[in-house]
PDB file of all heavy atoms in Angstrom:
ATOM      1  N   ALA A 257    -124.749 -64.067 120.509  1.00  0.00           N
ATOM      2  CA  ALA A 257    -126.199 -63.967 120.379  1.00  0.00           C
ATOM      3  C   ALA A 257    -126.850 -63.741 121.728  1.00  0.00           C
ATOM      4  O   ALA A 257    -127.848 -63.028 121.849  1.00  0.00           O
ATOM      5  CB  ALA A 257    -126.745 -65.243 119.724  1.00  0.00           C
ATOM      6  N   ALA A 258    -126.278 -64.339 122.785  1.00  0.00           N
ATOM      7  CA  ALA A 258    -126.867 -64.165 124.119  1.00  0.00           C
ATOM      8  C   ALA A 258    -126.754 -62.725 124.583  1.00  0.00           C
ATOM      9  O   ALA A 258    -127.704 -62.144 125.117  1.00  0.00           O
ATOM     10  CB  ALA A 258    -126.173 -65.090 125.119  1.00  0.00           C
ATOM     11  N   SER A 259    -125.577 -62.127 124.341  1.00  0.00           N
ATOM     12  CA  SER A 259    -125.412 -60.743 124.762  1.00  0.00           C
ATOM     13  C   SER A 259    -126.290 -59.814 123.960  1.00  0.00           C
ATOM     14  O   SER A 259    -126.747 -58.790 124.460  1.00  0.00           O
ATOM     15  CB  SER A 259    -123.941 -60.312 124.633  1.00  0.00           C
ATOM     16  OG  SER A 259    -123.546 -60.356 123.277  1.00  0.00           O
ATOM     17  N   VAL A 260    -126.542 -60.172 122.713  1.00  0.00           N
ATOM     18  CA  VAL A 260    -127.427 -59.357 121.896  1.00  0.00           C
ATOM     19  C   VAL A 260    -128.844 -59.448 122.413  1.00  0.00           C
ATOM     20  O   VAL A 260    -129.573 -58.454 122.486  1.00  0.00           O
ATOM     21  CB  VAL A 260    -127.347 -59.808 120.429  1.00  0.00           C
ATOM     22  CG1 VAL A 260    -128.417 -59.129 119.602  1.00  0.00           C
ATOM     23  CG2 VAL A 260    -125.972 -59.488 119.877  1.00  0.00           C
ATOM     24  N   ASP A 261    -129.263 -60.676 122.809  1.00  0.00           N
ATOM     25  CA  ASP A 261    -130.623 -60.837 123.287  1.00  0.00           C
ATOM     26  C   ASP A 261    -130.824 -60.081 124.600  1.00  0.00           C
ATOM     27  O   ASP A 261    -131.920 -59.594 124.876  1.00  0.00           O
ATOM     28  CB  ASP A 261    -130.935 -62.325 123.487  1.00  0.00           C
ATOM     29  CG  ASP A 261    -131.026 -63.027 122.140  1.00  0.00           C
ATOM     30  OD1 ASP A 261    -131.249 -62.334 121.132  1.00  0.00           O
ATOM     31  OD2 ASP A 261    -130.843 -64.256 122.107  1.00  0.00           O
ATOM     32  N   ALA A 262    -129.751 -60.013 125.378  1.00  0.00           N
ATOM     33  CA  ALA A 262    -129.889 -59.288 126.630  1.00  0.00           C
ATOM     34  C   ALA A 262    -130.185 -57.826 126.346  1.00  0.00           C
ATOM     35  O   ALA A 262    -131.150 -57.253 126.837  1.00  0.00           O
ATOM     36  CB  ALA A 262    -128.626 -59.419 127.473  1.00  0.00           C
ATOM     37  N   GLY A 263    -129.314 -57.200 125.565  1.00  0.00           N
ATOM     38  CA  GLY A 263    -129.573 -55.900 124.975  1.00  0.00           C
ATOM     39  C   GLY A 263    -129.952 -54.812 125.934  1.00  0.00           C
ATOM     40  O   GLY A 263    -130.642 -53.872 125.547  1.00  0.00           O
ATOM     41  N   GLY A 264    -129.535 -54.874 127.158  1.00  0.00           N
ATOM     42  CA  GLY A 264    -129.943 -53.849 128.100  1.00  0.00           C
ATOM     43  C   GLY A 264    -129.393 -52.486 127.735  1.00  0.00           C
ATOM     44  O   GLY A 264    -128.202 -52.304 127.583  1.00  0.00           O
ATOM     45  N   GLY A 265    -130.256 -51.487 127.605  1.00  0.00           N
ATOM     46  CA  GLY A 265    -129.839 -50.135 127.338  1.00  0.00           C
ATOM     47  C   GLY A 265    -129.373 -49.899 125.918  1.00  0.00           C
ATOM     48  O   GLY A 265    -128.814 -48.843 125.631  1.00  0.00           O
ATOM     49  N   ASP A 266    -129.575 -50.873 125.010  1.00  0.00           N
ATOM     50  CA  ASP A 266    -129.117 -50.730 123.607  1.00  0.00           C
ATOM     51  C   ASP A 266    -130.251 -50.118 122.799  1.00  0.00           C
ATOM     52  O   ASP A 266    -131.270 -50.769 122.567  1.00  0.00           O
ATOM     53  CB  ASP A 266    -128.729 -52.095 123.048  1.00  0.00           C
ATOM     54  CG  ASP A 266    -127.982 -51.967 121.725  1.00  0.00           C
ATOM     55  OD1 ASP A 266    -128.137 -50.928 121.065  1.00  0.00           O
ATOM     56  OD2 ASP A 266    -127.255 -52.907 121.365  1.00  0.00           O
ATOM     57  N   PRO A 267    -130.110 -48.848 122.340  1.00  0.00           N
ATOM     58  CA  PRO A 267    -131.214 -48.217 121.605  1.00  0.00           C
ATOM     59  C   PRO A 267    -131.463 -48.827 120.231  1.00  0.00           C
ATOM     60  O   PRO A 267    -132.485 -48.540 119.621  1.00  0.00           O
ATOM     61  CB  PRO A 267    -130.753 -46.757 121.493  1.00  0.00           C
ATOM     62  CG  PRO A 267    -129.261 -46.829 121.532  1.00  0.00           C
ATOM     63  CD  PRO A 267    -128.942 -47.970 122.449  1.00  0.00           C
ATOM     64  N   LEU A 268    -130.512 -49.623 119.745  1.00  0.00           N
ATOM     65  CA  LEU A 268    -130.682 -50.219 118.421  1.00  0.00           C
ATOM     66  C   LEU A 268    -131.198 -51.644 118.474  1.00  0.00           C
ATOM     67  O   LEU A 268    -131.303 -52.301 117.448  1.00  0.00           O
ATOM     68  CB  LEU A 268    -129.346 -50.192 117.665  1.00  0.00           C
ATOM     69  CG  LEU A 268    -128.761 -48.795 117.416  1.00  0.00           C
ATOM     70  CD1 LEU A 268    -127.452 -48.928 116.651  1.00  0.00           C
ATOM     71  CD2 LEU A 268    -129.729 -47.905 116.667  1.00  0.00           C
ATOM     72  N   LEU A 269    -131.483 -52.140 119.695  1.00  0.00           N
ATOM     73  CA  LEU A 269    -131.927 -53.533 119.796  1.00  0.00           C
ATOM     74  C   LEU A 269    -133.262 -53.717 119.095  1.00  0.00           C
ATOM     75  O   LEU A 269    -133.490 -54.700 118.393  1.00  0.00           O
ATOM     76  CB  LEU A 269    -132.038 -53.940 121.269  1.00  0.00           C
ATOM     77  CG  LEU A 269    -132.523 -55.371 121.525  1.00  0.00           C
ATOM     78  CD1 LEU A 269    -131.572 -56.366 120.861  1.00  0.00           C
ATOM     79  CD2 LEU A 269    -132.624 -55.632 123.009  1.00  0.00           C
ATOM     80  N   TYR A 270    -134.170 -52.756 119.323  1.00  0.00           N
ATOM     81  CA  TYR A 270    -135.467 -52.817 118.668  1.00  0.00           C
ATOM     82  C   TYR A 270    -135.565 -51.625 117.721  1.00  0.00           C
ATOM     83  O   TYR A 270    -135.743 -50.488 118.183  1.00  0.00           O
ATOM     84  CB  TYR A 270    -136.611 -52.783 119.690  1.00  0.00           C
ATOM     85  CG  TYR A 270    -136.563 -53.955 120.619  1.00  0.00           C
ATOM     86  CD1 TYR A 270    -136.065 -53.810 121.915  1.00  0.00           C
ATOM     87  CD2 TYR A 270    -136.993 -55.209 120.194  1.00  0.00           C
ATOM     88  CE1 TYR A 270    -136.014 -54.891 122.771  1.00  0.00           C
ATOM     89  CE2 TYR A 270    -136.937 -56.293 121.058  1.00  0.00           C
ATOM     90  CZ  TYR A 270    -136.444 -56.127 122.337  1.00  0.00           C
ATOM     91  OH  TYR A 270    -136.383 -57.198 123.186  1.00  0.00           O
ATOM     92  N   PRO A 271    -135.360 -51.827 116.433  1.00  0.00           N
ATOM     93  CA  PRO A 271    -135.362 -50.704 115.492  1.00  0.00           C
ATOM     94  C   PRO A 271    -136.733 -50.038 115.445  1.00  0.00           C
ATOM     95  O   PRO A 271    -137.740 -50.648 115.811  1.00  0.00           O
ATOM     96  CB  PRO A 271    -135.015 -51.364 114.152  1.00  0.00           C
ATOM     97  CG  PRO A 271    -135.375 -52.795 114.323  1.00  0.00           C
ATOM     98  CD  PRO A 271    -135.165 -53.117 115.768  1.00  0.00           C
ATOM     99  N   PRO A 272    -136.752 -48.773 114.984  1.00  0.00           N
ATOM    100  CA  PRO A 272    -138.033 -48.062 114.872  1.00  0.00           C
ATOM    101  C   PRO A 272    -138.995 -48.805 113.961  1.00  0.00           C
ATOM    102  O   PRO A 272    -138.608 -49.623 113.129  1.00  0.00           O
ATOM    103  CB  PRO A 272    -137.633 -46.699 114.273  1.00  0.00           C
ATOM    104  CG  PRO A 272    -136.182 -46.549 114.615  1.00  0.00           C
ATOM    105  CD  PRO A 272    -135.610 -47.922 114.643  1.00  0.00           C
ATOM    106  N   HIS A 273    -140.259 -48.444 114.100  1.00  0.00           N
ATOM    107  CA  HIS A 273    -141.312 -49.159 113.384  1.00  0.00           C
ATOM    108  C   HIS A 273    -141.114 -49.099 111.871  1.00  0.00           C
ATOM    109  O   HIS A 273    -141.285 -50.086 111.169  1.00  0.00           O
ATOM    110  CB  HIS A 273    -142.679 -48.550 113.765  1.00  0.00           C
ATOM    111  CG  HIS A 273    -143.820 -49.134 112.978  1.00  0.00           C
ATOM    112  ND1 HIS A 273    -144.354 -50.370 113.259  1.00  0.00           N
ATOM    113  CD2 HIS A 273    -144.517 -48.642 111.912  1.00  0.00           C
ATOM    114  CE1 HIS A 273    -145.342 -50.641 112.417  1.00  0.00           C
ATOM    115  NE2 HIS A 273    -145.461 -49.605 111.598  1.00  0.00           N
TER     116      HIS A 273
END
Side-chain angles (χ1 to χ4, degrees):
S259 63
V260 171
D261 290 339
D266 192 338
L268 299 181
L269 179 59
Y270 298 102
H273 175 77

